[in-house]
């Protein structure tokens, strides 16, 4: 309980102020502590409400605060942040679909050799991510109503409405109509563990948290996530300075911040994979990518009323190739409903290519 409160206190003391190197190190340590606290409280909530609601809570909570961070930076950053939403959303898609998926499959296949999941639910989630990504990040590079890789106001409004509608339809499918498609698949290993628990063996499951405990964890999760995003913004001037001194592209700042913001989901996904619950890991990864697009695009559509200058959404050729390859590889991973170490290596290789090209475009 103390870590989220300390992180929030540090955020209040450092917000809007320049920080020294020593203070920056302390803020970084509290940021790491807030990330671990967020993972813990998210797992408590997930245990209480069950799947797929548990992973949905963390995905939406992180994304809402991520959107707030993008909005605040764009409102205060001027023309140099014209492509911030695009860079952040694309980074989130690559981190979730390749980084988190790759690490989760790696953790699962190293432990059980073959990772098993529901192809129906995961395939639907991937189709939604691919559609939203193409609509919001690829089409603006080819439309002609506005100059540059940008939507006209009418096109942006249409993209915002469609993004919200698709995300809402996915949530309805995941939590109501086809909830069973997003539940962990029973394997001989999980069934054996359940049998041991039923017989009073050593692998008994922890008791389900009470409603009061879950509500407390929900409050602390929100505090921890606010602290993560806020402290990431406090650290961003230090990151920007380091990036500038190293001669790296400005887009690297967005990638680093996206990595920090998505760290709680990454840890939670890998932990689930180590428990042979690959479906929960994929729910977190693809749900986060979908929420990032489905909530960010409507938010910046509304925000564009107050923004001056163009809002760059369209990807360049290099990033389009990476996105297309990610969709193709993810489809081949999802269709069988089973993955091996090879698939994890391919996804991690794509993630490494994204990071390298962000540094050396």
């Amino acid at each position: 309980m103390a870590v989220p409160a300390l992180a929030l206190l540090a955020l209040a003391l450092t917000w809007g102020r320049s920080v020294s190197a020593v203070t920056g190190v302390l803020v970084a340590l509290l940021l790491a502590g807030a990330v671990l606290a967020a993972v813990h409280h998210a797992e408590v909530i997930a245990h209480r409400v069950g799947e797929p609601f548990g992973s949905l809570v963390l995905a939406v909570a992180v994304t809402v605060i991520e959107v707030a961070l993008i909005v605040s930076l764009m409102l205060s950053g001027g023309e140099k942040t014209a492509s911030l939403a695009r860079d952040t959303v694309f980074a989130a898609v690559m981190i979730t679909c390749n980084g988190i998926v790759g690490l989760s499959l790696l953790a699962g296949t190293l432990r059980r050799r073959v990772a098993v999941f529901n192809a129906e639910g995961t395939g639907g989630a991937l189709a939604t991510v691919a559609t939203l990504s193409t609509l919001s990040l690829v089409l603006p590079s080819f439309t002609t109503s506005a100059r540059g890789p940008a939507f006209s106001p009418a096109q942006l409004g249409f993209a915002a409405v469609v993004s919200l509608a698709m995300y809402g339809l996915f949530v309805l499918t995941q939590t109501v109509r086809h909830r069973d498609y997003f539940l962990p698949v029973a394997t001989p290993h999980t069934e054996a563990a359940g049998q041991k628990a039923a017989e009073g063996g050593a692998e008994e499951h922890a008791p389900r948290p009470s409603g009061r405990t879950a509500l407390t964890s929900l409050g602390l999760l929100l505090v921890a996530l606010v602290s993560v995003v806020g402290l990431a913004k406090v650290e961003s001037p230090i990151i920007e300075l380091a990036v500038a001194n190293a001669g790296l592209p400005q887009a690297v700042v967005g990638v680093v911040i996206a990595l920090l913001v998505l760290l709680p989901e990454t840890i939670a996904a890998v932990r689930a994979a180590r428990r042979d619950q690959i479906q929960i890991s994929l729910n977190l990864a693809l749900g986060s990518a979908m929420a990032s697009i489905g909530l960010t695009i409507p938010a910046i559509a509304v925000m564009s009323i107050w923004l001056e200058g163009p809002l760059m959404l369209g990807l360049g050729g290099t990033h389009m190739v990476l996105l297309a390859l990610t969709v193709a590889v993810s489809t081949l991973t999802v269709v069988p409903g089973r993955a091996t170490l090879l698939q994890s290596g391919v996804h991690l290789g794509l993630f490494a290519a994204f990071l390298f090209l962000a540094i050396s475009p």
Side-chain angles (χ1 to χ4, degrees):
M1 282 191 181
V3 174
L6 288 174
L8 192 62
L9 177 62
L11 176 60
L13 293 175
T14 57
W15 186 260
R17 298 180 175 89
S18 59
V19 297
S20 64
V22 175
T23 305
V25 172
L26 293 175
V27 168
L29 291 174
L30 286 172
L31 175 60
V35 166
L36 295 176
V39 173
H40 168 73
H41 293 298
E43 289 181 339
V44 171
I45 296 168
H47 196 184
R48 170 65 186 181
V49 303
E51 287 298 325
F53 298 99
S55 55
L56 185 65
V57 168
L58 182 58
V60 173
V62 169
T63 305
V64 167
I65 299 175
E66 177 187 340
V67 169
L69 177 59
I70 294 172
V71 170
S72 65
L73 288 174
M74 291 189 73
L75 287 175
S76 61
E79 292 185 2
K80 69 178 183 179
T81 60
S83 63
L84 179 64
R86 176 197 67 191
D87 295 339
T88 306
V89 170
F90 179 66
V93 171
M94 298 303 291
I95 291 167
T96 53
C97 293
N98 288 317
I100 297 179
V101 169
L103 287 173
S104 298
L105 293 180
L106 179 63
T109 54
L110 286 178
R111 187 175 178 84
R112 303 295 186 194
R113 298 180 66 86
V114 176
V116 182
F117 49 87
N118 244 320
E120 294 93 338
T122 308
L126 177 61
T128 309
V129 171
T131 302
L132 289 175
S133 300
T134 303
L135 177 65
S136 302
L137 300 177
V138 176
L139 284 182
S141 295
F142 296 97
T143 54
T144 58
S145 297
R147 182 175 299 177
F151 276 144
S152 68
Q155 291 169 339
L156 183 59
F158 173 79
V161 172
V162 172
S163 297
L164 273 179
M166 283 192 183
Y167 184 66
L169 180 61
F170 172 78
V171 171
L172 176 67
T173 302
Q174 184 185 35
T175 58
V176 181
R177 295 187 64 87
H178 298 285
R179 181 172 175 268
D180 54 315
Y181 287 2
F182 300 90
L183 298 178
V185 177
T187 66
H189 303 289
T190 56
E191 289 174 355
Q195 182 66 28
K196 281 188 178 182
E199 295 173 357
E203 296 188 25
E204 288 190 49
H205 294 291
R208 189 183 182 204
S210 65
R212 182 176 180 180
T213 300
L215 286 175
T216 301
S217 287
L218 177 61
L220 290 172
L221 171 63
L222 293 176
V223 170
L225 290 174
V226 169
S227 302
V228 167
V229 177
L231 293 177
K233 185 175 180 181
V234 170
E235 288 282 295
S236 63
I238 300 175
I239 298 171
E240 288 176 355
L241 182 60
V243 167
N245 290 339
L248 299 175
Q250 186 65 25
V252 173
V253 177
V255 174
V256 173
I257 293 177
L259 286 169
L260 289 173
V261 171
L262 289 169
L263 192 54
E265 290 164 304
T266 304
I267 297 174
V270 172
R271 283 184 175 178
R274 288 181 59 81
R275 295 194 299 266
D276 205 26
Q277 296 178 325
I278 302 297
Q279 187 62 51
I280 295 178
S281 303
L282 298 180
N283 289 348
L284 280 168
L286 296 177
S288 299
M290 197 183 313
S292 181
I293 305 170
L295 297 178
T296 300
I297 299 303
I300 63 172
V302 174
M303 186 185 63
S304 64
I305 299 172
W306 295 280
L307 283 175
E308 297 181 1
L311 183 63
M312 302 299 181
L313 287 177
L315 295 172
T318 302
H319 287 167
M320 285 187 200
V321 171
L322 284 175
L323 180 60
L325 190 54
T326 295
V327 172
V329 168
S330 299
T331 302
L332 295 175
T333 298
V334 166
V335 167
R338 299 162 63 87
T340 66
L341 187 62
L342 175 61
Q343 279 86 1
S344 70
V346 172
H347 281 281
L348 290 175
L350 270 173
F351 181 57
F354 161 69
L355 293 178
F356 178 78
L357 291 173
I359 296 171
S360 179

